[in-house]
Amino acid sequence: MAAAKDKTLNDLFLDTLKDIYYAEKQILKTLPKMAKAANSDKLRAAFEKHEGETEGQIERLEQIFELLGKPARGKTCDALMGIIDEGKEIMDEYKGTEALDAGLLAAAQAVEHYEISRYGTLKTWAGLLGMKDAVKLIDQTLQQEKTTDVNLTKLAETEVNYEAAA
């Protein structure tokens, strides 16, 4: 392990890649639980769709590790685990209520915003480090995450929040 003063942007890129790889694996485990808990068919379908997308995102991350000649290993992501724990708390505390779906959707968007932040940063760093192939792979995932966020916002604004307020 390099001394702190010897660490580079390359090291930071790899550490952040491990962080988001761990995060995506945790998200993949959590999405089916959120889908099962959802009352709204549209929200359930959104979670199920994103589960499939997440599998592809994990594969792209594994391709990036391969490009770097590094093993695909995760590094515990405390920030994401906190967001997931909040989602679990909502599922427990609001089970059977009209507000459940609004809470699930809000938790899902917190995850999306974290991912958008991480992938945006990784894309910028990959560009600075001359990793053109990694930039393309990261950008595919970044665009997917942004689309998912937009779709969740539409669902919140057209259905889920109104059901919760009824």
Side-chain angles (χ1 to χ4, degrees), residues 4-151:
K5 65 179 177 43
D6 298 328
K7 292 219 172 220
T8 66
L9 186 58
N10 252 318
D11 297 318
L12 189 57
F13 178 84
L14 184 60
D15 279 347
T16 306
L17 196 66
K18 289 176 181 178
D19 176 273
I20 198 69
Y21 184 68
Y22 177 89
E24 291 290 11
K25 292 230 171 198
Q26 296 305 309
I27 291 163
L28 191 59
K29 286 183 195 171
T30 304
L31 280 167
K33 295 171 189 165
M34 292 176 76
K36 188 177 179 196
N39 294 314
S40 159
D41 291 337
K42 287 181 185 172
L43 184 58
R44 185 175 309 107
F47 290 152
E48 288 168 351
K49 178 179 186 241
H50 198 55
E51 184 181 346
E53 290 173 348
T54 301
E55 289 170 352
Q57 292 165 359
I58 289 169
E59 287 170 16
R60 281 194 287 276
L61 289 169
E62 289 169 349
Q63 289 174 359
I64 296 167
F65 279 111
E66 206 172 296
L67 289 169
L68 298 173
K70 302 284 184 186
R73 281 206 196 105
K75 175 182 168 187
T76 302
C77 174
D78 293 327
L80 196 271
M81 292 314 294
I83 295 169
I84 287 175
D85 286 345
E86 283 179 13
K88 287 177 183 168
E89 208 172 282
I90 289 166
M91 282 190 270
D92 292 341
E93 292 181 17
Y94 290 86
K95 187 177 185 172
T97 72
E98 293 297 325
L100 174 65
D101 284 353
L104 287 173
L105 203 148
Q109 284 200 283
V111 169
E112 289 308 309
H113 294 172
Y114 179 81
E115 290 177 298
I116 289 166
S117 167
R118 280 288 182 240
Y119 284 115
T121 297
L122 283 167
K123 181 182 167 188
T124 298
W125 290 345
L128 288 169
L129 294 167
M131 302 175 181
K132 289 180 179 65
D133 292 337
V135 169
K136 287 179 194 155
L137 291 165
I138 294 165
D139 189 57
Q140 287 175 11
T141 297
L142 181 59
Q143 297 315 314
Q144 253 181 350
E145 300 293 9
K146 287 179 177 179
T147 299
T148 297
D149 183 51
V150 167
N151 291 339

